[in-house]
Amino acid sequence: MKRPVFTLYCLLVYAFLLAPILVVVGASFNAGNFLTFPPQGLSPRWYVTFFHNDVFMRAIRTSLWVAAVATVISGTIGTMAALYYVQHAGRWKEAVRIAMLAPLLLPEVLTAIALLFFVYAIGIGTTTMIGMIAGHVLITLPFVFINVSASLESFDPSWDMAARSLGADRLTRFRRIMLPLIKPGVIGGALFAFIISFDTFTISFMLKGIGTSTLPIQLFDYLRTNFTPEAAAVSTVSIVLTLVVVIVSEKVLGLRIHRF
Amino acid sequence: MTEVSIERLTKTFGSARAVDCISIRIADGEFISLLGPSGCGKTTTLKMIAGFEEASEGAIRFDGKDVVNVPAEKRDIGMVFQNYALFPHMTVDQNLAFGLEMRKIAKPEMRERIAKVLDMVQLGGYSDRYPNQLSGGQQQRVALARALVIEPKILLLDEPLANLDAKLREEMRVFIRDLQRRVGITTVYVTHDQAEAMTMSDRVVVMFGGRIAQIGAPSDIYERPENLEVAQFVGQVNLVKGTITAAAGAGKSRVASVFGEVAVDSRTDHAPGATVTLSLRPEAIELKAAGQGGAQGKVTARYYSGSIIDYRIALDSGETLHVQTFPNIRIAEGDRVSVHAPADGFWLLGAAK
């Protein structure tokens, strides 16, 4: 492809990807009463409405909380599973991989229904958030697993042997050698987990307790009866939150790849 | 410091015996090489000494104390790996400090020891560099420094020069050997490169198929190989058929061959009349112009390589010989030559097959 044609092609791809976001952000500053684009006059009034809307505020807190808990659990289990997969699974390697990726391959609604049956069968039900968090862990696990095992594959076993020869016990070797070297994979996986958990609808819809609601569900509920720019404001805030999570974790935890 | 004794050490993988009942006594401060082709069990032996592989049978003693059940991290060894295995997320300084931190050495002493050892490997100004900012040779020296700074009982090296280019490899041979002499540490060095083993070691252990074929000083291995396999592995060799004419006493036998009758050194006894194989090193042979005695032949090929010239000679009696000489003789391809082989150039390998 010639260079100008290629550039145009790239621009179109970006436009396709980013235009919906621009429309939502634009519509959220609408001064009018209906969700339209281009906005009829500019005003932050729908943000004010949103921030004073207790239902939305509660939903956003629930979403953040569930995503944080699910990320920590999923990050831990996923990292441990990846360690087993790369270092010890032996002839079970392929089986372990398929099992770990299963939540990604199955339709989410099936996973959700199965889990719903399960939490009622074992008597937990949906009165607590345990079921929903378990669901979030389940669907985010493959992302942690994929990221961590990719960085583990490039972990040279002789680093571990060298550390052993220098007198480091198992825990020290994990903490001082392996963890820093696979950190980009762990953090990358955790970010995926957080964003997917924050964003998921189906699992939350099936497993949420009576009276609790996550942001995507609350937004869906709202849009069934209302069509105001407040919905766009909610969406914009959730985009910004996602960006903040990515940037903060990059700055604080260091997502940059080590200099090999 | 440390004497290492390996006794009937065996490693089996399923039904395969990777290392088969080997015994080696390594003296304090000795530099010993395990030499052999890949798959001969040399690396497995090293890993058992280090503690990375469990021994199936036998004992490994450091100063008389069996360490077979001691985990690698408690054996107090220094190890250098083929790919150096420097920690990529740590600077040179941090790499070196790691082993000292594990030993809970106080900061001031740590600084002192790191500075000393960096000086020893001539990397004084490099402590803040990351491994990927160093050349292969420098990384190699950092790996050596990291293994030595903890002042281990023994130093183990697993093909440490295999990833370097030829010129650097020769420099590093001398460097490691000198450093080892200065530190005086008991050293086990694994290599498949016979020249490396020869130039560096006090003694060489030649291994084939999990067993020891021969243990001896480099000159012993080269000049008095135990069998044909060893002779061929440690250098190029001509095989000459001969017949025993008489025992000559003092480990010598008189042998008649195309080169006449000579008294040849031998480790084995053979009855007169027995057919035997003699080895004759290419550099022991002397070429002269045709008609000057010795065996007669013709030069079929000549390869010039600077410090030496390689000749292929077809003897009139049918054998082909490989000859190496200094390039100060001018013999061309196709020339007829007289081939002389001095008695001490021969070694009796054993009965001919």
Side-chain angles (χ1 to χ4, degrees):
Chain A
M1 241 186 295
K2 285 206 184 92
R3 204 163 168 78
V5 181
F6 183 67
T7 310
L8 181 70
Y9 173 76
C10 288
L11 285 174
L12 282 174
V13 171
Y14 275 112
F16 177 73
L17 290 173
L18 298 176
I21 294 177
L22 289 177
V23 169
V24 166
V25 174
S28 72
F29 289 100
N30 210 323
N33 286 324
F34 296 99
L35 192 51
T36 52
F37 188 83
Q40 300 158 315
L42 288 176
S43 153
R45 60 180 273 226
W46 292 106
Y47 284 89
V48 177
T49 319
F50 167 53
F51 288 126
H52 285 98
N53 185 333
D54 278 347
V55 182
F56 269 135
M57 283 296 121
R58 230 182 3 256
I60 212 165
R61 272 200 299 276
T62 307
S63 270
L64 286 173
W65 190 78
V66 169
V69 173
T71 299
V72 170
I73 297 174
S74 180
T76 310
I77 299 178
T79 301
M80 288 182 346
L83 274 169
Y84 176 79
Y85 165 71
V86 173
Q87 300 196 323
H88 303 290
R91 62 201 181 96
W92 300 109
K93 216 171 161 178
E94 199 49 29
V96 170
R97 195 175 71 90
I98 290 171
M100 287 303 298
L101 298 187
L104 208 59
L105 306 174
L106 290 174
E108 206 176 309
V109 66
L110 283 189
T111 310
I113 293 169
L115 258 175
L116 192 61
F117 276 121
F118 181 72
V119 291
Y120 275 106
I122 64 168
I124 293 176
T126 51
T127 49
T128 63
M129 297 235 262
I130 293 174
M132 181 159 71
I133 289 174
H136 281 224
V137 168
L138 202 59
I139 58 160
T140 54
L141 211 47
F143 296 93
V144 177
F145 177 77
I146 289 170
N147 272 281
V148 178
S149 40
S151 57
L152 270 173
E153 295 284 4
S154 62
F155 182 85
D156 184 344
S158 69
W159 288 328
D160 192 62
M161 280 199 264
R164 269 188 91 180
S165 77
L166 293 168
D169 58 38
R170 192 181 285 270
L171 190 67
T172 310
R173 297 201 299 275
F174 180 71
R175 210 168 45 80
R176 299 268 320 261
I177 308 297
M178 182 175 278
L179 204 54
L181 288 170
I182 64 169
K183 198 168 80 171
V186 176
I187 292 173
L191 275 181
F192 265 117
F194 187 92
I195 291 163
I196 283 162
S197 165
F198 190 74
D199 191 50
T200 192
F201 180 83
T202 319
I203 287 274
S204 305
F205 188 71
M206 294 280 185
L207 290 159
K208 75 181 182 66
I210 314 280
T212 56
S213 189
T214 62
L215 193 61
I217 292 170
Q218 197 55 54
L219 188 59
F220 176 74
D221 256 8
Y222 180 83
L223 281 172
R224 280 197 301 188
T225 49
N226 306 279
F227 202 66
T228 67
E230 189 175 350
V234 174
S235 306
T236 306
V237 167
S238 87
I239 291 168
V240 170
L241 271 177
T242 312
L243 276 177
V244 165
V245 168
V246 172
I247 291 164
V248 166
S249 19
E250 202 208 312
K251 291 285 175 231
V252 176
L253 299 165
L255 194 61
R256 59 187 194 285
I257 307 300
H258 276 290
R259 299 182 284 178
F260 285 137
Chain B
M1 290 188 12
T2 311
E3 224 175 72
V4 179
S5 166
I6 292 163
E7 292 158 20
R8 299 194 317 283
L9 190 64
T10 299
K11 177 72 189 181
T12 52
F13 292 108
S15 62
R17 300 175 82 82
V19 174
D20 194 358
C21 198
I22 65 164
S23 297
I24 313 167
R25 296 188 72 90
I26 307 167
D28 175 27
E30 190 176 21
F31 192 121
I32 224 165
S33 286
L34 305 181
L35 173 68
S38 56
C40 75
K42 57 188 192 300
T43 299
T44 309
T45 304
L46 191 80
K47 283 187 172 166
M48 283 193 282
I49 300 174
F52 297 136
E53 287 281 3
E54 245 175 87
S56 307
E57 278 167 51
I60 300 163
R61 297 181 202 283
F62 292 179
D63 282 334
K65 195 175 142 273
D66 193 357
V67 296
V68 161
N69 293 318
V70 178
E73 54 267 37
K74 299 226 168 82
R75 283 197 193 182
D76 204 11
I77 48 156
M79 179 128 179
V80 177
F81 296 83
Q82 181 171 349
N83 61 358
Y84 322 133
L86 297 175
F87 307 131
H89 60 305
M90 298 186 189
T91 60
V92 169
D93 188 68
Q94 290 165 333
N95 266 280
L96 263 57
F98 189 81
L100 297 174
E101 284 164 21
M102 296 303 118
R103 284 164 176 72
K104 309 217 163 27
I105 306 286
K107 267 266 150 63
E109 190 191 339
M110 191 143 75
R111 295 265 70 78
E112 205 175 292
R113 276 166 75 167
I114 290 174
K116 201 178 107 196
V117 81
L118 273 181
D119 207 45
M120 226 161 29
V121 298
Q122 297 160 20
L123 285 172
Y126 290 80
S127 52
D128 291 331
R129 302 276 186 100
Y130 281 90
N132 71 333
Q133 297 170 309
L134 301 173
S135 71
Q138 289 168 335
Q139 291 185 35
Q140 176 63 79
R141 282 182 280 153
V142 175
L144 258 172
R146 186 178 65 178
L148 287 173
V149 76
I150 57 173
E151 294 171 8
K153 287 196 176 116
I154 52 171
L155 179 62
L156 306 173
L157 302 107
D158 184 14
E159 306 242 9
L161 306 185
N163 289 353
L164 300 177
D165 59 57
K167 191 165 157 25
L168 197 55
R169 200 153 57 215
E170 278 182 32
E171 283 173 25
M172 283 304 292
R173 269 183 212 164
V174 180
F175 183 85
I176 293 177
R177 181 50 169 152
D178 289 350
L179 191 63
Q180 188 269 342
R181 283 237 172 89
R182 238 183 316 150
V183 179
I185 188 172
T186 311
T187 302
V188 182
Y189 188 99
V190 162
T191 181
H192 65 271
D193 182 329
Q194 47 90 15
E196 221 168 272
M198 295 280 183
T199 45
M200 299 173 81
S201 325
D202 294 314
R203 282 191 303 155
V204 177
V205 179
V206 186
M207 293 181 70
F208 292 112
R211 292 167 187 243
I212 294 178
Q214 188 171 1
I215 304 183
S219 58
D220 212 30
I221 302 277
Y222 191 75
E223 290 160 18
R224 301 163 62 86
E226 191 68 38
N227 55 37
L228 179 60
E229 234 180 345
V230 175
Q232 284 178 328
F233 193 76
V234 298
Q236 285 167 321
V237 68
N238 293 298
L239 300 177
V240 179
K241 270 214 170 63
T243 312
I244 303 275
T245 53
K252 284 182 190 279
S253 303
R254 291 196 70 78
V255 183
S257 72
V258 284
F259 295 97
E261 195 178 316
V262 285
V264 176
D265 281 320
S266 165
R267 201 176 273 131
T268 48
D269 284 330
H270 298 274
T275 314
V276 291
T277 304
L278 304 177
S279 75
L280 177 60
R281 292 290 178 192
E283 69 279 8
I285 301 171
E286 203 184 342
L287 297 180
K288 288 181 179 169
Q292 297 195 31
Q296 299 299 307
K298 190 181 161 202
V299 176
T300 55
R302 174 181 182 273
Y303 306 100
Y304 177 83
S305 64
S307 58
I308 51 160
I309 303 182
D310 267 300
Y311 290 102
R312 297 286 183 283
I313 312 286
L315 290 181
D316 295 347
S317 52
E319 289 99 334
T320 51
L321 284 184
H322 176 194
V323 179
Q324 278 180 355
T325 69
F326 297 112
N328 55 5
I329 59 162
R330 300 285 170 201
I331 293 171
E333 223 169 86
D335 285 1
R336 288 201 55 83
V337 285
S338 303
V339 184
H340 293 265
D344 59 8
F346 290 100
W347 168 249
L348 202 162
L349 279 172
K353 275 163 199 142

